[in-house]
Amino acid sequence: MGDEQTMTFYTYHYLNTSQGNWQYARIIVLSILALIFMIFLIHYLRNRLDVKYKDLSIIVGTLLLLILAMQYDDFSSMQSATKQTGQITTVVKESAARLKISPSRVSINSTSQNANLMIKTPKGFYRIDYNSDGTQFVLEKVALHDPNNVTVKGES
């Protein structure tokens, strides 16, 4: 008995919602920090003799700048991931249209564009075979060795 690996598929809904949630959380954290910074700064400007607000403004401002620097660093990788997820969802929609089923009933085995894409549908498993320049693809029905060893993320 060898080690069996589970093949993971991702639903259309999972692909559409997975990227957005983390981005919204980052925006909320940055907004809260910016608001706190503004409150401390206003308190300091009103009471110039009370240095605790100045110190708190400096601490929160530094934290805000640090988080903004990390955001800037992650920006290009987030853009790339969002673009790849968009490409994958397009493949799911086109595959569903060719098989005449709803995209919500199609799952794909990757969150990024690669050469070994497979989809899981109620009609079976299909391998996506791209042409040489990667602009078009055909669906080839395949039989998995162990179709029970499949997990689907985003399935309700």
Side-chain angles (χ1 to χ4, degrees):
M1 289 191 169
D3 290 334
E4 292 185 26
Q5 290 185 342
T6 302
M7 183 176 262
T8 304
F9 286 82
Y10 304 92
T11 64
Y12 180 71
H13 177 71
Y14 178 87
L15 292 170
N16 280 329
T17 59
S18 65
Q19 292 293 323
N21 293 341
W22 179 240
Q23 290 172 349
Y24 290 130
R26 287 180 174 190
I27 290 170
I28 290 170
V29 167
L30 284 172
S31 300
I32 291 170
L33 279 175
L35 182 66
I36 292 171
F37 174 72
M38 295 300 287
I39 290 169
F40 286 149
L41 188 62
I42 289 170
H43 277 296
Y44 168 67
L45 292 175
R46 284 188 181 167
N47 307 317
R48 292 194 186 249
L49 297 177
D50 196 355
V51 275
K52 81 175 171 188
Y53 290 116
K54 177 184 175 186
D55 294 341
L56 288 173
S57 295
I58 291 171
I59 291 168
V60 173
T62 304
L63 185 61
L64 186 62
L65 287 174
L66 179 67
I67 291 175
L68 283 172
M70 290 187 311
Q71 281 293 105
Y72 181 76
D73 188 43
D74 290 345
F75 183 69
S76 63
S77 63
M78 285 172 49
Q79 270 189 325
S80 175
T82 302
K83 182 179 176 184
Q84 286 184 348
T85 300
Q87 291 171 341
I88 290 296
T89 55
T90 302
V91 169
V92 169
K93 285 192 280 191
E94 287 182 22
S95 301
R98 290 181 188 185
L99 295 170
K100 296 178 177 54
I101 57 175
S102 168
S104 64
R105 301 185 70 199
V106 177
S107 302
I108 194 159
N109 71 330
S110 179
T111 58
S112 62
Q113 196 100 13
N114 63 38
N116 299 315
L117 291 177
M118 289 184 60
I119 60 170
K120 176 186 178 293
T121 70
K123 296 181 177 186
F125 292 91
Y126 292 85
R127 184 172 67 92
I128 298 174
D129 190 17
Y130 283 94
N131 64 353
S132 60
D133 63 356
T135 57
Q136 297 292 321
F137 66 89
V138 295
L139 296 173
E140 177 184 3
K141 190 162 187 166
V142 295
L144 293 183
H145 173 68
D146 187 6
N148 297 324
N149 206 11
V150 169
T151 58
V152 180
K153 288 194 177 190
E155 202 169 50
S156 49

